[in-house]
Amino acid sequence: MREILDIQKKLLPDLMDIMKKRYSILHHILVSGVVGRRTLASSLDMTERVLRGEVDFLKEQGLLESDASGMKISESGRQLLEDMLPIIKIAFGLTDLEESIAKAYGLSQVIVVPGDTDTSVFTKKELGRAGAAALRKYVAKGDIIAVTGGSTMAQIANNLTISSSMKGNWFVPARGGLGESVDMQANTIASIMAKKTGGKYRLLHVPDHLGEEAYQTLIQDPQIQEVVDAVRSCRIVVHGIGDAMVMARRRKVDADTTRSLQSDGALAEAFGYYFDRQGNVVHKMPTVGLRLEDLQRTEVVIGVAGGKSKGEAIASVLRHGQEDVLVTDEAAAIEIMKHV
Amino acid sequence: MREILDIQKKLLPDLMDIMKKRYSILHHILVSGVVGRRTLASSLDMTERVLRGEVDFLKEQGLLESDASGMKISESGRQLLEDMLPIIKIAFGLTDLEESIAKAYGLSQVIVVPGDTDTSVFTKKELGRAGAAALRKYVAKGDIIAVTGGSTMAQIANNLTISSSMKGNWFVPARGGLGESVDMQANTIASIMAKKTGGKYRLLHVPDHLGEEAYQTLIQDPQIQEVVDAVRSCRIVVHGIGDAMVMARRRKVDADTTRSLQSDGALAEAFGYYFDRQGNVVHKMPTVGLRLEDLQRTEVVIGVAGGKSKGEAIASVLRHGQEDVLVTDEAAAIEIMKHV
DNA sequence: CCAGTGATGGACGTTTTATGTCCCGGGTAT
DNA sequence: ATACCCGGGACATAAAACGTCCATCACTGG
């Protein structure tokens, strides 16, 4: 596979460029749904005319369709994009990145999508697609799947589709309420995922910042206890990874804790735990749900995060060593490899 | 390996041609040892100038060397050729098929799409796409285009798009109603094609199995006469090819006729005529429209059919010798070559 | 020794193709 | 109703490809 491309490169040096160009046009149209020529041209940084040439070609090949409202991808175009993914990864050099990260951190699979989530909303969507695909790959019938919150997780939820293998699975939030906006809370994500896949879900309604005694009575509650048990016996965890300080701010952590996080060198956050550069846990959010020790019994831990700015944070979570699968983007992957 | 080339064929069809061209240049030089530009050009059937462009490129890539005595292949060029062999075999299996069929049956163009229409719906769609592309290539402004019915023709109609070169053209059914389901009748196909391309159409409402006198009065009708005249003066014919017995059954031909077809060795059916293995007409459907002798005045006859099971039938229609362009699939093409 | 042959590489005008730029008529969402 | 965005047509221009001719060089055969 790789050889064939190397051979072709010798005989057709610009093959890769054209292939990438056409791929990215098609891909852009795929993620945009319906889009016009001018919009597309500016978003791809091409002149209108040359884009038009390519679009005419792609139309002739039956890979996209156009009507008065704009252009959209055809079924065979969508299929083509799917089939092309491995080729594109090689052409973009992403396979190398995937393999080196997997080896450096002892992961069983790494998926790298092209682009940078920090700068392109399309990359974020692609990350969601890839995350959903990864989950689909590892899930089995009757699994309990614990998920966290965050915008990346929301994207994954968006890209899940109904599938027989996920029908009847349980989606649960990995931890209790962690004071984020509603549509990115773990509870919300779990319910969306369940609806999209035809699965079931249970919610954990445990507010933050409870007094000790209120907390104790709450976790004695049989209803809550049941959900917590389910969470702790999950087979799959899918979680985002965040920058420690950004997450602390977003969750309105009090000044004292923030200071202590800073002095402890907290760099990354994942499922309510804060990690320093070496991958040590330096702080945990006071709420119920999945504990670190539960992860060891968990069969598949899937981390999903992207963006150049998150690279270092992802690296420190990976160093902690509980992850099995990582889904990230090109920019973050490059940063991760700087911190081996 | 196979997939990557199929993908590239869809996304970069012209680059595949260039690859073939460069490969054959290199290969020719390899077998010739040392050879001059003009000699090579004539032996490859290229103009000197275009060969020179390619040679300059190959020299730049270090794949061949040239001195005052002529050109010869370099070591890395020889290595490349060796590595390419499997790629070339796969990538151009179809091209070879196309050329051998074209030569064997004296056609001006043969288009072979990968796959087998019998087993894959996708191949059938691809056949439709290729048929539409072929029609687009040969059509000119103001043409009258006669079409037949059938599911393959319906696919072609589906894949036609509005285009200025076809605007205002006439689509007519090649022959009268031949007792098939409505959405595959020539009348229907003609009207769909006209709508899709922005052309106009005329229909032929002549039922099958008319009594002789009803038939005579019908074809005296000026309206019908006008359409029949248009059909017979068409410049382009696009038609499907069917297995004789399958078609007879589908058209509910009576038992007597079926027996006579069988005893005459009818193998194939096209535009209402039945052909035996040698390409002789052994029977014709009793309806009005295009006659065989009209085909000689027709400039472009495009036959479209695929599927392993139809290979022999296609071959016998080709042997009749009126076809100019054939669009088929890989499985049928292989069968066709077995019957040269 | 020399003319003839066939080679490469340079040159140049012409044709074809690609590109930048505008505009038009038609839908669509506001 | 209107303003906006869409695809597609049109056209001048820049760039690439091509056909053609020629100069020069190396080798060969006489």
Side-chain angles (χ1 to χ4, degrees), chain A residues 243-299:
Chain A
D243 179 273
M245 288 310 142
V246 172
M247 290 306 290
R249 215 173 309 128
R250 194 177 300 164
R251 286 174 182 164
K252 301 190 178 60
V253 169
D254 58 68
D256 274 357
T257 316
T258 306
R259 262 194 300 279
S260 108
L261 279 173
Q262 242 156 356
S263 68
D264 288 338
L267 200 63
E269 184 275 349
F271 36 84
Y273 289 78
Y274 287 84
F275 301 83
D276 67 7
R277 188 183 304 271
Q278 281 74 41
N280 304 313
V281 174
V282 293
H283 185 73
K284 53 173 290 191
M285 292 296 291
T287 183
V288 296
L290 199 71
R291 294 160 305 183
L292 266 185
E293 56 263 38
D294 298 321
L295 282 185
Q296 290 170 355
R297 279 201 318 279
T298 307
E299 288 187 42

Side-chain angles (χ1 to χ4, degrees), chain B residues 114-231:
Chain B
D116 186 345
T117 302
D118 285 345
T119 59
S120 155
V121 197
F122 203 75
T123 302
K124 184 143 216 168
K125 287 190 180 175
E126 188 68 14
L127 200 60
R129 213 182 59 68
L135 175 57
R136 213 172 2 245
K137 176 179 169 184
Y138 286 99
V139 81
K141 245 192 162 71
D143 278 346
I144 297 176
I145 300 152
V147 300
T148 68
S151 61
T152 307
M153 292 301 297
Q155 277 295 344
I156 296 179
N158 268 340
N159 282 284
L160 283 172
T161 51
I162 191 149
S163 73
S164 57
S165 64
M166 287 206 228
K167 209 169 272 181
N169 288 12
W170 285 95
F171 287 87
V172 292
R175 308 205 68 201
L178 294 171
E180 297 192 69
S181 71
V182 179
D183 53 343
M184 294 186 186
Q185 267 180 27
N187 276 332
T188 319
I189 306 278
S191 76
I192 294 177
M193 285 185 168
K195 276 172 202 156
K196 287 256 188 183
T197 58
K200 289 165 284 189
Y201 65 95
R202 298 298 298 271
L203 301 183
L204 252 183
H205 292 295
V206 182
D208 295 342
H209 311 301
L210 277 180
E212 184 60 23
E213 59 176 286
Y215 178 81
Q216 287 299 337
T217 51
L218 205 55
I219 64 170
Q220 299 295 331
D221 179 89
Q223 295 254 1
I224 288 184
Q225 196 61 50
E226 191 189 321
V227 179
V228 170
D229 284 344
V231 170

